[in-house]
Amino acid sequence: MTSAPAGERTERIAAIDGLRALAFLLVFAFHSWQFAGTPDIPVISTVVAQNIRPDFFVVLTGFVLFLPFARDPSRLGRFRAGPYLNRRLRRIVLPYYAALAYAILLPQTLVLLMKLLGREASWQPWPSVGDVLSHVTFTHMFFPQYWSTINGSLWTMALEMQLYLLFPLVMLAAARWGLRAIVGAIVVSVLFRIGVDLFLGDADFSVVFLWAASGLGRLTEFAFGMLAAVVGFRVAGRVRPPHALAVLAVMVAAYFVATEPFFRGTVLPIRDFGLSVLFGGLIVLVLTVRPFGAAFAWRPVSWLGYRSYSLFLIHQPTLWYASEFLQKFLRVPEGVLLLILLWTVGFAAVLGVGLLLFVTVERPCITWAKRVPSSRAPAPASVVEAPGAAEAPVTDTAADGDAGDAPRPAEGERPPSA
């Protein structure tokens, strides 16, 4: 087990896509397990039931947003919110809107198909105006009656937008106070979560959950992702097998603390801290230890991760209706067999629809986002990728406003949003 040299950035970039693939597969596994009737499978059910995917994406988002500045702290003063937000909006909004339209029209289309085939089917209610408007404006997390209606997974898009808006504020503070600003963001988030627990503890679950899962509530995980970027590049080339084993041991302990019910009876966000350490440790290992980086940079895994945004956006309604078809038309009962079919046939359906969204909407948006002029100064030659590794250096991803995107291996495009 040896450390990957600091200069081998192509593998690390591909490995970031691999991390996104893992995050998507976690949420896919959770929802397919739900739609299969939550079958009891030793170990697998215990792990899948934790639904830790949103936490992983938040940590990963903070990491990639801060990646250029971890490599070159002098760039903090050159960050500009305007180009960054412009490119973010171009990058994520239209695929998200297309996914909303898909989730709204899919049930009506299936009902029409059933009627054409001579089968009984009832028209599904259309979402209300308030429902649509809150989703279109990324504000559905502020409304308990809307947050999970059109597509239950897309509440995280409102969270992502809040984090994108908070990031320039963190950057402004970091330009002045450095890493102390990131630690300060964690303190603010912890105080906010304590306040939610103290003042809203007796409210309905959805109210408490939505406040706790807001941008301020999840800022701890986001900041840990930023710290993972700093640590990863500071220790690159110096990690030895005993260090890697120690990080693994800490990750196991962190997972236990995050998922053990005993540690949840407190106002402190213990689960967030545990998962932040778990996923932050994984990112550091991928950055610094060659076998981990190579595993996540494996071409099929990074290929999936590059398209994971489109796959995530449409996976839940696609999986739901796949499970309905298997149960009602093929008479497959809930349980392990249904789960296996969802992990195979259902995955193929999600992949097909997701690739269609990627090719027709997301990939053009990637190109569109690249057209936003950069306000940054040229990157020093020491941080530019070797020819052929990528179209743009990975250090440009956040400074140019494409934060959260790392170059696609060997093709020079940018992978999907976290």
Side-chain angles (χ1 to χ4, degrees):
M1 187 182 300
T2 58
S3 301
E8 293 185 7
R9 293 177 184 162
T10 302
E11 177 178 293
R12 291 178 184 171
I13 294 167
I16 293 172
D17 284 340
L19 288 169
R20 287 193 179 93
L22 175 61
F24 166 70
L25 291 174
L26 285 173
V27 71
F28 176 88
F30 174 74
H31 287 129
S32 55
W33 177 74
Q34 273 194 325
F35 298 155
T38 64
D40 186 11
I41 306 173
V43 181
I44 293 178
S45 295
T46 302
V47 174
V48 170
Q50 299 300 328
N51 191 23
I52 57 180
R53 192 282 315 171
D55 309 88
F56 191 5
F57 260 138
V58 172
V59 175
L60 192 56
T61 299
F63 162 71
V64 185
L65 281 167
F66 201 64
L67 181 62
F69 310 99
R71 280 179 165 164
D72 182 9
S74 67
R75 297 176 68 118
L76 285 169
R78 302 199 297 269
F79 173 81
R80 297 294 179 267
Y84 151 73
L85 290 172
N86 190 356
R87 189 168 291 195
R88 277 289 84 198
L89 293 175
R90 291 189 182 198
R91 177 66 182 81
I92 70 168
V93 171
L94 289 183
Y96 166 67
Y97 285 171
L100 286 178
Y102 172 75
I104 293 171
L105 296 175
L106 178 61
Q108 312 300 341
T109 302
L110 293 176
V111 169
L112 178 61
L113 178 61
M114 290 297 100
K115 289 183 176 293
L116 290 176
L117 293 176
R119 293 178 174 269
E120 292 187 4
S122 301
W123 294 106
Q124 300 300 301
W126 293 89
S128 67
V129 174
D131 203 349
V132 173
L133 286 178
S134 64
H135 279 78
V136 167
T137 56
F138 293 87
T139 58
H140 46 292
M141 274 191 71
F142 298 114
F143 302 96
Q145 68 271 35
Y146 297 145
W147 73 278
S148 63
T149 48
I150 295 178
N151 178 337
S153 292
L154 296 187
W155 68 268
T156 55
M157 293 303 300
L159 168 60
E160 284 287 297
M161 186 59 70
Q162 292 174 44
L163 293 173
Y164 291 151
L165 294 175
L166 286 171
F167 182 67
L169 299 178
V170 178
M171 291 296 292
L172 182 65
R176 182 169 183 177
W177 295 298
L179 292 181
R180 289 175 295 174
I182 302 178
V183 176
I186 294 174
V187 173
V188 169
S189 181
V190 170
L191 292 176
F192 177 81
R193 290 290 296 273
I194 292 174
V196 169
D197 189 81
L198 291 178
F199 293 103
L200 298 176
D202 295 330
D204 292 339
F205 166 79
S206 61
V207 174
V208 178
F209 168 76
L210 291 175
W211 279 99
S214 65
L216 281 175
R218 292 294 179 95
L219 194 58
T220 293
E221 296 174 332
F222 183 82
F224 264 89
M226 298 172 70
L227 291 176
V230 175
V231 173
F233 286 106
R234 286 191 176 181
V235 304
R238 294 184 291 165
V239 175
R240 297 294 179 263
H243 304 141
L245 291 175
V247 173
L248 284 172
V250 171
M251 290 169 59
V252 171
Y255 176 81
F256 174 77
V257 170
T259 58
E260 178 59 40
F262 174 78
F263 295 102
R264 297 181 187 176
T266 173
V267 296
L268 295 174
I270 300 297
R271 182 179 185 274
D272 290 25
F273 274 104
L275 294 179
S276 297
V277 172
L278 170 66
F279 295 128
L282 177 61
I283 290 171
V284 171
L285 289 179
V286 167
L287 282 177
T288 60
V289 180
R290 186 186 302 275
F292 283 91
F296 282 94
W298 186 41
R299 188 70 178 184
V301 177
S302 62
W303 181 92
L304 184 69
Y306 179 62
R307 294 151 179 82
S308 62
Y309 181 45
S310 288
L311 299 177
F312 164 74
L313 287 174
I314 55 83
H315 84 278
Q316 189 171 25
T318 306
L319 261 182
W320 165 255
Y321 286 106
S323 69
E324 289 289 288
F325 173 80
L326 291 170
Q327 292 180 78
K328 294 181 178 179
F329 289 89
L330 301 184
R331 304 299 180 186
V332 179
E334 289 187 342
V336 176
L337 176 59
L338 180 57
L339 180 60
I340 292 173
L341 290 173
L342 289 178
W343 281 359
T344 51
V345 178
F347 182 81
V350 169
L351 186 62
V353 177
L355 288 179
L356 180 62
L357 176 62
F358 174 79
V359 171
T360 58
V361 183
E362 185 187 355
R363 189 158 59 185
C365 286
I366 294 172
T367 304
W368 186 35
K370 289 179 182 179
R371 295 173 183 166
V372 177
S374 171
S375 60
R376 62 175 175 82
S382 60
V383 300
V384 176
E385 293 285 353
E391 179 182 282
V394 69
T395 49
D396 292 344
T397 54
D400 282 348
D402 226 352
D405 295 334
R408 179 186 179 187
E411 292 190 25
E413 290 184 304
R414 297 179 187 269
S417 161

